[in-house]
Amino acid sequence: FIIKGPYCDKSDEDMRQIVLDYCTKNLADFKRPRKLYFIKDEEMPRATLEKVAKNKLREMSDALADQEAAAAK
């Protein structure tokens, strides 16, 4: 998941390409992200101490992957 800043004027596809290009140049193949999701800061699930709620983030990821799989059929 990537949180775009409020002043970012690039489209999601442009940002996706920029991030993937950076990862290709600087990370090993097995460390590169397979999928990128762009969300707003308000949509990021947080726990009580403002930490990221990783279990809810995994649920979001699974739901988005299911939606993509259903759309591909």
Side-chain angles (χ1 to χ4, degrees):
F1 288 89
I2 296 177
I3 298 174
K4 286 174 58 175
Y7 301 108
C8 181
D9 59 350
K10 299 196 183 301
S11 70
D12 286 354
E13 286 303 316
D14 290 341
M15 285 300 297
R16 178 173 281 113
Q17 193 60 44
I18 290 168
V19 170
L20 289 176
D21 288 345
Y22 178 85
C23 291
T24 300
K25 291 177 189 173
N26 297 297
L27 295 176
D29 288 343
F30 69 94
K31 291 184 179 182
R32 275 191 243 144
R34 285 176 265 145
K35 297 186 187 238
L36 299 174
Y37 299 110
F38 294 94
I39 61 174
K40 296 177 183 169
D41 189 37
E42 306 86 51
E43 297 171 352
M44 180 64 76
R46 305 240 183 227
T48 54
L49 296 175
E50 292 300 314
K51 292 182 177 181
V52 174
K54 293 179 185 173
N55 57 343
K56 291 182 182 178
L57 203 58
R58 279 187 208 100
E59 291 171 6
M60 285 175 58
S61 176
D62 292 342
L64 289 170
D66 290 344
Q67 288 177 357
E68 288 179 357
K73 287 183 182 179

